[in-house]
Amino acid sequence: MFSKRRIEYTYISTRLHIVGLESRNATPYSASQLTGLPKVSPVKRYSSCLFILPLLVSVSFAEEPDAVGLKFFETKIRPALLEHCADCHGVDEQESELRLDTPAHLMAGGQSGPVAIPGKPGRSLLVSAIRYKDENLQMPPDEKLPASVIADLVKWIEMGAPMPKSEMIAKKTRIPFDLDKAREHWSFQVPQRPALPAGDDVSNPIDKLVFAKLKEKGLTPAAPVSKRTLLRRTYLDLIGLPPTPEQIQAFLSDESPDAFSKVVDELLESPHYGERWGRHWLDIARYADSNGLDENVAHGNAWRYRDYVIAAFNSDKPFDQFIREQLAGDLLDGDEKAKHERLIATGFLSLGPKVLAEVDETKMEMDIIDEQIDTTGRVFLSLTFGCARCHDHKFDPIRADDYYALAGIFKSTTTMESFKKIAIWNENIIASPEQLKEKEKHDGQVTALETEIAALTKQEADAKKVTKPVETTTKVDATGEKKTEVTTEEPETPAETSEAQPTVAEQLKTLKANLKELKTKAPELPSAMGVTEAKPTDVPIHVRGSHLSLGRDVSRGMPLVLCIDEPELQAPGESGRLELANWLASPTHPLTSRVWVNRVWRWHFGTGLVSTTDNFGILGLKPTHPKLLDWLAVEFVENGWSTKELHRLILLSKTYQMSSAFNEKNAAIDLENQYHWRTKQLRMEAEVFRDSLLAVSGQLDTTMGGSMLHVKNREFIFNHTSKDETNYDSNRRSIYLPVIRNNLYDGFSLFDYTDASVSNSNRDTSTVAPQALYALNSDVVLTAAEQLAKQLQTDAPDDTSQRIRSLFEKAYGRLPTPQETATISHYITQLIPTVENELSAWTVVCQTILISNEFIYVQ
């Protein structure tokens, strides 16, 4: 069962008095009556009042205010609050659930807790509001208070905010929603493995659950797809490349029952699998090779994180471990290789876009933390925590407390090396012992040269200051008096030291030149974007999200609605990232496994079982197959969080192997194919389209890993006043091309590539005119068509029919029909006399095939 935080009050006495400002009469309340105060009501929001957020009140006011303090309150503070504040924050109206007409309500505060923190006017919301410090938080809204009143209020808080003792000190957890009811939302409940429908017609659990739903809805499943189409679908799905004619023939020739299973295993073991499925993860990790925003400097080492992701998928790293490494890899034990890998993994938290020229350093830091919270929530939970920065989430049961509990975790983490303009993100050194030793040796050489230069420089300076000894003489003048004369000789002239001076100067010149050259040869230790621990600290509520208006502190922890146990950290002496990672990776977490299996399903079928793959909250759609989703989530965890096993389960199902044939009767019931009565035809993503063009034309460079940036780390790469010189003229797979924020490669942006600044697991598919223009005119397509034409000429020098057969099998994975062969043969005959040569004619034919729907769409 979920544990519910206790609501508790501490009483100064068993019978308390609340002093009403309006009457100044003591009104008695019993302890039992106080349990209902203050009443929790729906959050009211006004633009002209103290907008104060959900609270955990715990403020100690002066226990025994002296006579001077009480007099000051009664003569200065009480009248001021009554005159200037009670209309909007009194007995009749309580904007933002804040009353200032009684000391009890004044202490209780509003939605962000107390408005006054005794002894700390700089941390008190009341002072921030009356000083008009924050343009979004100004009280009174119509006119600023007189300076004398402001000074009195500040002085009162400095005195410890003395008030009559006959009040309560409240400590309670305010939950602005029914916690038990909120936890009834389908995605907030721990998934349970459902019983499978009876029947022996299908054996795969996916088929049992899908076919039962089809039967329930009166739908008929489509027939199995042909072997050729299934093979092409699977190749493009798992490795993002079409099968070669040789691979097609090998599959067709294998008539064993497990022929397809062997193909699946082979593809899952291919290094190209990680390149294909790693790209999916990079979409939700908002991967980019530049910062974007105001200072678009190069993420010169981001490629290490990309390569880590590819390797993680290829090795089938358990997904729970994948989570831990990205959120807290620097806190995990392991050998040198593992530690370096995990340091690289924490680049996940550092990859987001940042306003590096923000002059307000605190704002920059909180904006970076906000981006980390929002990304973490979207990636692992499909929830939008960023909405709770300024107020309780308007739709989901996520409090501002939950947001700032997470903010404390990331505030206790070093993401930036410096916040000074232009800010510098943190990078972790991942050098080997040999590299560190080489660097140490080089540093020693530099130090030795610098020491020698310093000694010679001092020697040279001392030589210039040398004087001869003082001589004293006594003389008798004409009057007979004795006079003492002191004489010194001038410092030696350059002429006197002509033999020594040039020698030192020459030595210094040589040594300085050697030092300069040595420094240019300094070994550059490899580093990677990533985070480390900082001083553990809690973060106060930021009223309206502004760091200029701070409320009470919030203990670091996890979102209350999703917690089985108490949400506070168990190890408050640490940042909390490792606890956060372990919490997310828990087998009993209600969201983590559901979210991931749903995304894998979406990337296979085009639509998730929950179609709103990035929103499992209240506004997200419910699953079409809730039992199937939960069954897959439980199975995924029990299979060791293995993504490859999840692939096998899906691909070996009859559901996956259906054809895309249309059924009019089914369409009348389920036009959108929500219940999977056929396979949805999917257009290739931008990367798959480009990679497939390179593959079928024989141009693909399969080199893996490394950087393709043309500038050094943190150098400017593109902004609105400069030219982007990024080079995309490479035949390597698209995942290795630079991803430049604000200036994506045309071949990506035209075909619905991810924005690269925000997490996205559900790319759109648009059809716009520029896509056709790109297909007709881009160098990538034209070059691929020409190279493919040359292959055809080489494969079949004098056989037009064989060329057409080879063309269709390379591009479509099938053989041409007799009609298609005849049509293309006739067209070639008519075209050759009108173009430069035969190659040009075949290039036109190849381009037509490569930009056709059958090539671009996966059947």
Side-chain angles (χ1 to χ4, degrees):
M1 294 292 293
F2 286 99
S3 65
K4 190 172 183 179
R5 280 177 171 169
R6 294 176 300 164
I7 296 178
E8 59 181 352
Y9 293 85
T10 303
Y11 304 95
I12 294 177
S13 63
T14 58
R15 191 169 182 84
L16 305 176
H17 295 78
I18 296 179
V19 180
L21 289 176
E22 68 280 356
S23 64
R24 297 195 182 185
N25 294 322
T27 304
Y29 286 84
S30 67
S32 61
Q33 289 174 305
L34 284 170
T35 57
L37 294 175
K39 182 181 179 182
V40 175
S41 60
V43 177
K44 296 167 63 178
R45 296 173 173 84
Y46 298 86
S47 60
S48 61
C49 66
L50 270 174
F51 182 82
I52 312 176
L53 306 169
L55 67 149
L56 179 68
V57 181
S58 182
V59 176
S60 298
F61 288 80
E63 292 185 1
E64 289 288 349
D66 58 24
V68 174
L70 284 176
K71 182 179 179 180
F72 190 83
F73 174 77
E74 295 292 351
T75 60
K76 298 288 187 180
I77 304 307
R78 187 190 295 272
L81 294 174
L82 185 60
E83 178 182 355
H84 299 289
C85 306
D87 286 347
C88 296
H89 301 284
V91 65
D92 296 323
E93 184 175 0
Q94 302 90 41
E95 292 186 3
S96 298
E97 300 183 15
L98 174 65
R99 284 184 65 175
L100 298 175
D101 58 334
T102 73
H105 289 104
L106 183 61
M107 287 191 294
Q111 297 164 1
S112 267
V115 295
I117 300 179
K120 297 181 179 180
R123 285 287 310 277
S124 298
L125 288 175
L126 180 63
V127 174
S128 178
I130 62 178
R131 281 177 169 171
Y132 281 33
K133 184 179 179 181
D134 183 349
E135 62 180 12
N136 294 316
L137 181 63
Q138 299 179 347
M139 283 188 63
D142 299 327
E143 184 179 1
K144 193 173 183 179
L145 292 175
S148 60
V149 175
I150 295 175
D152 286 341
L153 287 166
V154 172
K155 181 179 178 180
W156 172 65
I157 295 174
E158 288 175 341
M159 295 169 66
M163 287 185 288
K165 179 182 176 182
S166 55
E167 305 290 349
M168 68 174 183
I169 299 175
K171 180 180 181 181
K172 75 165 189 166
T173 296
R174 175 186 174 277
I175 305 176
F177 48 80
D178 185 321
L179 185 60
D180 291 332
K181 185 175 181 180
R183 284 172 170 164
E184 291 176 1
H185 182 61
W186 69 268
S187 70
F188 298 160
Q189 300 176 40
V190 177
Q192 304 294 328
R193 186 189 292 273
L196 295 175
D200 298 326
D201 50 336
V202 290
S203 58
N204 187 299
I206 291 175
D207 295 331
K208 285 181 178 291
L209 291 163
V210 170
F211 285 23
K213 180 70 73 171
L214 292 177
K215 185 176 181 180
E216 174 189 326
K217 300 294 182 180
L219 298 166
T220 304
V225 73
S226 70
K227 289 188 73 172
R228 283 181 176 272
T229 303
L230 177 61
L231 190 69
R232 186 174 191 264
R233 176 192 298 173
T234 306
Y235 264 74
L236 292 170
D237 204 358
L238 286 184
I239 66 171
L241 299 171
T244 64
E246 294 74 22
Q247 290 165 334
I248 295 172
Q249 190 56 49
F251 179 55
L252 294 177
S253 300
D254 189 347
E255 297 181 357
S256 63
D258 61 346
F260 182 62
S261 178
K262 287 188 287 187
V263 168
V264 171
D265 289 342
E266 178 185 334
L267 295 180
L268 289 176
E269 292 306 312
S270 167
H272 298 313
Y273 162 76
E275 294 172 324
R276 168 66 166 145
W277 280 80
R279 181 59 254 181
H280 286 313
W281 181 261
L282 296 180
D283 275 15
I284 59 177
R286 83 298 190 210
Y287 174 85
D289 292 292
S290 78
N291 177 69
L293 296 181
D294 60 335
E295 307 296 328
N296 206 353
V297 293
H299 286 169
N301 289 313
W303 62 271
R304 298 186 193 278
Y305 174 79
R306 178 205 63 209
D307 289 356
Y308 158 81
V309 170
I310 293 172
F313 275 90
N314 276 334
S315 66
D316 198 21
K317 185 185 292 290
F319 191 70
D320 58 339
Q321 182 67 9
F322 192 48
I323 294 172
R324 291 187 182 95
E325 290 179 356
Q326 292 180 85
L327 291 177
D330 57 307
L331 304 176
L332 300 176
D333 293 329
D335 58 23
E336 181 191 18
K337 180 180 179 182
K339 286 182 178 179
H340 287 174
E341 182 180 278
R342 292 164 182 171
L343 287 173
I344 292 170
T346 66
F348 168 82
L349 290 173
S350 186
L351 283 168
K354 307 168 183 66
V355 183
L356 298 175
E358 172 61 64
V359 294
D360 188 330
E361 295 180 15
T362 303
K363 181 179 185 301
M364 185 199 306
E365 181 179 20
M366 293 312 299
D367 286 346
I368 291 171
I369 289 171
D370 177 69
E371 196 276 339
Q372 292 172 324
I373 293 171
D374 190 59
T375 298
T376 300
R378 290 176 186 270
V379 169
F380 300 111
L381 303 176
S382 285
L383 292 177
T384 53
F385 283 95
C387 296
R389 180 179 186 178
C390 301
H391 49 73
D392 292 336
H393 200 293
K394 290 182 180 294
F395 307 106
D396 295 336
I398 301 171
R399 308 164 303 154
D401 287 56
D402 298 322
Y403 176 94
Y404 288 98
L406 292 171
I409 292 174
F410 294 113
K411 172 78 170 177
S412 305
T413 300
T414 299
T415 303
M416 302 298 290
E417 179 181 319
S418 169
F419 289 100
K420 295 188 180 299
K421 185 179 178 180
I422 296 173
I424 302 173
W425 59 80
N426 181 71
E427 298 216 355
N428 293 317
I429 299 298
I430 52 172
S432 67
E434 292 76 20
Q435 290 171 318
L436 290 172
K437 188 174 182 180
E438 182 184 356
K439 180 69 164 56
E440 183 181 0
K441 178 181 178 182
H442 177 271
D443 291 346
Q445 293 172 338
V446 170
T447 300
L449 265 180
E450 289 175 337
T451 301
E452 187 175 356
I453 290 171
L456 278 175
T457 301
K458 184 176 184 301
Q459 178 182 333
E460 182 183 41
D462 290 345
K464 291 180 179 180
K465 297 177 182 178
V466 172
T467 60
K468 288 189 176 181
V470 176
E471 293 186 4
T472 304
T473 58
T474 302
K475 296 182 179 180
V476 179
D477 61 12
T479 62
E481 294 183 8
K482 293 182 179 180
K483 291 185 176 181
T484 302
E485 293 184 359
V486 178
T487 61
T488 60
E489 293 195 6
E490 295 297 322
E492 294 181 357
T493 63
E496 293 175 303
T497 58
S498 58
E499 294 183 1
Q501 190 69 18
T503 303
V504 174
E506 288 299 324
Q507 283 181 300
L508 282 172
K509 182 178 180 181
T510 301
L511 289 174
K512 288 178 179 179
N514 292 343
L515 178 63
K516 183 177 180 180
E517 182 180 1
L518 183 62
K519 286 184 175 181
T520 63
K521 297 178 180 179
E524 186 174 347
L525 296 180
S527 63
M529 299 179 73
V531 303
T532 58
E533 288 285 84
K535 181 181 178 181
T537 182
D538 292 333
V539 173
I541 291 283
H542 288 42
V543 180
R544 287 198 180 99
S546 172
H547 65 284
L548 300 176
S549 302
L550 302 179
R552 59 184 176 76
D553 287 342
V554 179
S555 299
R556 282 164 290 142
M558 316 309 162
L560 178 63
V561 73
L562 297 175
C563 289
I564 296 176
D565 300 315
E566 289 297 320
E568 287 85 4
L569 296 183
Q570 300 303 304
E574 301 172 1
S575 68
R577 279 185 296 118
L578 185 56
E579 284 191 50
L580 173 62
N582 287 332
W583 175 72
L584 288 169
S586 168
T588 58
H589 197 289
L591 282 165
T592 310
S593 59
R594 275 196 185 109
V595 167
W596 181 241
V597 300
N598 185 65
R599 284 178 170 151
V600 171
W601 186 276
R602 182 262 178 260
W603 290 322
H604 277 305
F605 291 96
T607 305
L609 296 169
V610 178
S611 60
T612 53
T613 56
D614 293 328
N615 191 349
F616 273 45
I618 303 301
L619 293 186
L621 297 180
K622 292 182 178 180
T624 54
H625 300 71
K627 291 183 179 179
L628 175 57
L629 180 62
D630 279 11
W631 192 94
L632 288 172
V634 174
E635 181 72 8
F636 174 61
V637 172
E638 292 185 358
N639 268 339
W641 300 78
S642 168
T643 299
K644 287 189 176 182
E645 286 303 314
L646 181 60
H647 287 307
R648 288 188 177 93
L649 186 63
I650 292 173
L651 269 65
L652 296 180
S653 69
K654 293 181 182 295
T655 302
Y656 180 82
Q657 298 174 30
M658 286 184 196
S659 75
S660 58
F662 184 77
N663 182 309
E664 189 172 346
K665 181 181 177 182
N666 283 351
I669 300 171
D670 178 23
L671 181 61
E672 298 298 324
N673 190 34
Q674 293 185 67
Y675 299 107
H676 295 281
W677 53 268
R678 68 168 179 157
T679 290
K680 181 180 181 180
Q681 295 187 28
L682 303 176
R683 194 183 72 189
M684 293 177 175
E685 296 100 328
E687 305 96 315
V688 178
F689 178 42
R690 177 183 173 277
D691 293 349
S692 295
L693 288 172
L694 295 173
V696 299
S697 60
Q699 301 178 87
L700 184 65
D701 178 355
T702 58
T703 302
M704 298 180 68
S707 175
M708 292 182 61
L709 287 177
H710 66 286
V711 298
K712 293 182 179 180
N713 190 27
R714 298 192 178 101
E715 286 187 359
F716 282 93
I717 193 166
F718 173 79
N719 59 44
H720 297 297
T721 61
S722 66
K723 182 179 179 181
D724 180 15
E725 297 181 351
T726 306
N727 183 10
Y728 301 101
D729 295 332
S730 169
N731 289 339
R732 294 184 64 189
R733 292 204 68 171
S734 298
I735 193 171
Y736 299 114
L737 295 185
V739 179
I740 308 302
R741 288 185 177 133
N742 303 349
N743 194 47
L744 291 173
Y745 169 51
D746 287 345
F748 291 167
S749 58
L750 285 174
F751 290 92
D752 306 300
Y753 190 81
T754 178
D755 175 74
S757 295
V758 294
S759 176
N760 179 14
S761 67
N762 194 20
R763 290 193 195 180
D764 294 329
T765 301
S766 65
T767 303
V768 293
Q771 293 169 350
L773 294 174
Y774 179 88
L776 290 170
N777 300 295
S778 77
D779 289 338
V780 173
V781 176
L782 294 175
T783 302
E786 182 177 12
Q787 292 300 314
L788 180 55
K790 289 179 179 179
Q791 282 188 27
L792 299 180
Q793 287 182 322
T794 302
D795 294 344
D798 303 310
D799 190 337
T800 299
S801 296
Q802 181 56 37
R803 288 182 185 177
I804 297 171
R805 177 188 174 95
S806 180
L807 172 60
F808 269 67
E809 198 160 28
K810 286 175 181 289
Y812 295 158
R814 68 171 178 86
L815 299 178
T817 65
Q819 179 62 44
E820 288 168 332
T821 300
T823 299
I824 293 176
S825 296
H826 178 71
Y827 179 69
I828 284 289
T829 302
Q830 298 294 315
L831 185 61
I832 288 177
T834 66
V835 294
E836 184 178 348
N837 51 41
E838 184 186 36
L839 177 62
S840 298
W842 278 100
T843 299
V844 172
V845 170
C846 288
Q847 183 181 12
T848 303
I849 295 296
L850 293 178
I851 64 176
S852 66
N853 279 347
E854 187 171 353
F855 181 79
I856 297 175
Y857 278 80
V858 183
Q859 304 297 316

